[in-house]
Structure formats: C-alpha cells, structure tokens
Amino acid sequence: MKITAQDLKDLGIVDRIITENDDTMRNLKKLIYETFKTNKKIKVSKLLNERFKKYRMIGEVHHVSRDR
C-alpha cells in the first residue's frame, strides 16, 4: 500500500505539505517559527484539547463513497 503526503493531509494526519526545493530548510524554519509564535498565544489546555480531538478523529470513518 502506498500512501502519499496528500493522502495524509486528506486523512487529517498532517496539517500541511511542504514541497521540497532549494529553499525547503528556510521555509521549514519559517513555518516552525510561525507555528510556535501562533501557538504561544493559545492556552496550553486548549492546545492539548485540540490535539487530543485531532488524534481521536484519525481512523474514524465519516463518509464512505462507492465508485462503480
């Protein structure tokens, strides 16, 4: 079974896909800094609750479509 970055994003396992190029490390450093700066303003209890909610939803089936 092959799983792609887009599959992981669609499943809600990852928040963002970072494309690789010559500026990947610079962009990654910037994204980490921005995320930290944003999360620093949020109460720890809220961050934890959101994280628990996200991980509890992984694997849940919300909609099943049948392509024929």
Side-chain angles (χ1 to χ4, degrees), residues 2-19:
K2 181 179 178 183
I3 192 160
T4 65
Q6 187 62 52
D7 293 332
L8 294 172
K9 185 162 184 343
D10 293 344
L11 291 168
I13 296 171
V14 299
D15 297 322
R16 182 180 311 199
I17 298 171
I18 300 171
T19 56

Side-chain angles (χ1 to χ4, degrees), residues 48-61:
L48 289 173
N49 285 333
E50 289 176 2
R51 171 113 5 128
F52 289 142
K53 182 180 174 184
K54 174 183 176 177
Y55 288 126
R56 279 193 297 266
M57 291 185 67
I58 293 174
E60 286 187 11
V61 177

